[in-house]
Amino acid sequence: RPSIGVITAVAPVHLESGQFKDIHDIAREKGELVARLPREGVAILNDDDPLVRGMQTSARVIRYGTALSADLRATDIETTTRQLRFTVHYKNESAPFDVPVLGTFQLYVLLPAIAVGVSLGLTLEQCAKALFQFHLPVGRMTPIDGLNKSHLIDSSYNASPVSMTAALQLLAELKSGRKIAALGTMNELGETSHEAHLTLGKQAASVAKLLIIVGPEAATIKKGALDAGMPENQIYTFFDSEEAGHFLAKELQPKDLVLIKGSQNRVRMERLTKLIMAHPEQAPELLCRQDKEWEKI
């Protein structure tokens, strides 16, 4: 049995028929993970997520986040097109971190890892040194050179309402030329799917100057963007990601910044990314789902 348990978030996913009935049902199921930790174990919980913060355990608890109530806290947060900088405070120790990942939301990947480190006796300085060379798995906000001197942010591995919101916030934060959002349908949202895709369209309209939409819910995302006031001539819908990729390849201009994100099954936005990469021969190293088995699907 594990002696350390980490809960990063509770998000509205896996809500199709036969899965979870609502987000509180998901929270109860995840809560079982830390409830069953031994008393001498450690529960590492996201203090910024109310559903995680309220989880009960007999183990020692380390809460991480940005609020003053967190045991392990991040301050002085700064994001650029190549890295995330922040300072971590734990007990009487503090240290600066410079990690080559994109987006403020990546704190919720890094802080629990740091909490695991200190729970096992590492210093914050040791954690900072280790994360200085850290790289996320492919398909999770990977910076890639695009055609015609454009810049790509490839987050094609998967998507949910929470991760879509975070990715669009990053697109809004970064300084660039024209901002383009190439977004795919989010799967397994059950009864919340229609409203979630409407909201996604509205969020994209507030950030992007060009919106490329792929998948079964493309029309719903488009409606959300139109409702938010985005001109129809800036929105393009496609059923297939490769068709969308061929279209976008002809549209890219120097200094364009393109966010690519969508779910896995029936969407596969990495196929779009490959078609607009400056160096598509690097796809096996930079993109997800590039092995021969995935090519058959």
Side-chain angles (χ1 to χ4, degrees):
R1 291 175 60 185
S3 58
I4 299 176
V6 181
I7 305 294
T8 56
V10 177
V13 294
H14 308 302
L15 295 172
E16 293 278 12
S17 176
Q19 297 181 327
F20 296 102
K21 64 181 181 180
D22 56 33
I23 195 169
H24 298 286
D25 198 23
I26 297 170
R28 282 190 291 272
E29 182 72 12
K30 288 193 171 189
E32 287 291 323
L33 297 172
V34 291
R36 294 178 180 275
L37 285 170
R39 186 177 296 275
E40 65 274 14
V42 182
I44 295 171
L45 305 179
N46 182 355
D47 193 59
D48 292 344
D49 186 322
L51 290 174
V52 177
R53 187 168 60 241
M55 291 180 180
Q56 301 297 310
T57 180
S58 60
R60 178 166 70 95
V61 175
I62 299 176
R63 303 186 189 277
Y64 65 88
T66 58
L68 286 171
S69 57
D71 302 305
L72 187 142
R73 183 166 61 98
T75 63
D76 306 317
I77 303 158
E78 178 189 357
T79 186
T80 74
T81 56
R82 290 292 172 181
Q83 67 257 110
L84 177 65
R85 297 189 180 105
F86 55 97
T87 300
V88 173
H89 309 267
Y90 180 66
K91 294 184 176 178
N92 296 321
E93 187 183 359
S94 64
F97 282 71
D98 192 337
V99 188
V101 298
L102 301 183
T104 303
F105 62 90
Q106 301 286 12
L107 280 173
Y108 299 100
V109 175
L110 301 170
L111 290 178
I114 297 165
V116 170
V118 298
S119 76
L120 293 171
L122 296 179
T123 66
L124 288 182
E125 285 190 1
Q126 288 173 311
C127 293
K129 184 177 179 180
L131 288 174
F132 184 74
Q133 298 295 334
F134 172 73
H135 292 281
L136 287 165
V138 295
R140 298 164 176 86
M141 311 305 288
T142 307
I144 298 175
D145 293 331
L147 291 173
N148 202 16
K149 298 183 179 180
S150 62
H151 304 283
L152 315 180
I153 300 174
D154 177 68
S155 189
S156 56
Y157 176 72
N158 213 345
S160 69
V162 172
S163 66
M164 279 288 201
T165 297
L168 287 168
Q169 286 175 345
L170 171 63
L171 187 62
E173 290 172 12
L174 296 177
K175 295 179 180 179
S176 72
R178 182 176 57 161
K179 295 181 179 181
I180 301 172
L183 307 179
T185 291
M186 302 176 291
N187 295 334
E188 298 184 355
L189 298 183
E191 294 179 357
T192 67
S193 182
H194 183 77
E195 189 60 38
H197 285 94
L198 280 177
T199 299
L200 175 59
K202 293 173 184 177
Q203 291 172 333
S206 69
V207 178
K209 293 298 182 183
L210 181 64
L211 179 56
I212 308 295
I213 317 170
V214 177
E217 289 282 7
T220 311
I221 299 172
K222 178 179 180 178
K223 184 179 186 305
L226 290 172
D227 289 348
M230 190 171 193
E232 189 166 9
N233 63 2
Q234 295 177 9
I235 307 170
Y236 296 86
T237 61
F238 302 88
F239 184 77
D240 179 80
S241 60
E242 289 184 287
E243 180 187 10
H246 285 296
F247 170 82
L248 186 52
K250 300 173 183 177
E251 297 292 317
L252 289 176
Q253 303 169 10
K255 297 185 180 180
D256 279 352
L257 179 62
V258 188
L259 169 69
I260 304 120
K261 190 166 182 64
S263 283
Q264 299 185 22
N265 299 333
R266 300 175 296 161
V267 184
R268 302 287 299 278
M269 293 297 283
E270 73 275 8
R271 290 170 170 165
L272 178 151
T273 305
K274 186 174 181 179
L275 290 167
I276 61 173
M277 291 173 64
H279 303 286
E281 70 276 7
Q282 296 178 350
E285 293 78 40
L286 295 178
L287 300 184
C288 57
R289 294 183 286 270
Q290 295 299 296
D291 58 73
K292 293 188 181 298
E293 291 303 313
W294 275 105
E295 289 178 2
K296 300 174 185 177
I297 300 176

